[in-house]
Amino acid sequence: MATDRNDPTGFEADIKPLFREKDRQAMLRHFDLWSHDDVSRHAERILARLREGTMPCDHAWPQEQTDLFQRWAETGSRE
Ligand code: HEM
């Protein structure tokens, strides 16, 4: 459930590995996709683009991957 603060999904273990080196490089002038603080600060905009399928620029993420990101963002953005 969206407000479950006990969700074990964590940035280092589960979220950061979803972002490729090329994603990080392409987006560095906006935010650092390998930084917990940057990704949690910009999570709403990031999620919106993942859901639209307009980011990453070369292919849309599979839905399960976007769902995982959303769950992480909505359950406290754990490190
Ligand atoms: C999972 C990986 C990525 C995520 C989550 C992501 C997310 C975003 C977000 C949230 C924005 C809007 C920035 C803002 O509102 O200030 C954006 C813009 C942009 N991204 Fe990415 N990005 C990713 C990968 C990439 C890749 C691989 C490329 C292409 C090499 C790319 C190229 C761009 C460009 C050119 C813009 C500015 C133009 C626009 O808004 O469409 N991004 N991205």
Side-chain angles (χ1 to χ4, degrees):
M1 134 178 142
T3 53
D4 181 4
R5 303 270 154 192
N6 297 317
D7 189 301
T9 307
F11 184 76
E12 290 297 326
D14 306 301
I15 303 300
K16 185 175 164 188
L18 303 177
F19 299 122
R20 303 162 298 176
E21 171 78 41
K22 75 174 276 190
D23 295 322
R24 178 176 190 238
Q25 289 302 330
M27 296 313 302
L28 266 182
R29 86 188 99 108
H30 296 269
F31 38 68
D32 182 352
L33 286 170
W34 288 0
S35 152
H36 168 268
D37 290 354
D38 270 18
V39 174
S40 44
R41 192 173 310 124
H42 299 289
E44 271 190 42
R45 268 151 63 203
I46 291 169
L47 180 62
R49 301 297 292 248
L50 293 173
R51 282 257 173 259
E52 285 168 12
T54 55
M55 284 292 145
C57 64
D58 53 350
H59 74 115
W61 272 13
Q63 190 177 331
E64 315 82 72
Q65 209 165 297
T66 304
D67 289 347
L68 179 69
F69 183 87
Q70 177 165 9
R71 200 162 71 240
W72 170 79
E74 289 181 350
T75 55
S77 312
R78 294 164 68 105
E79 292 193 47

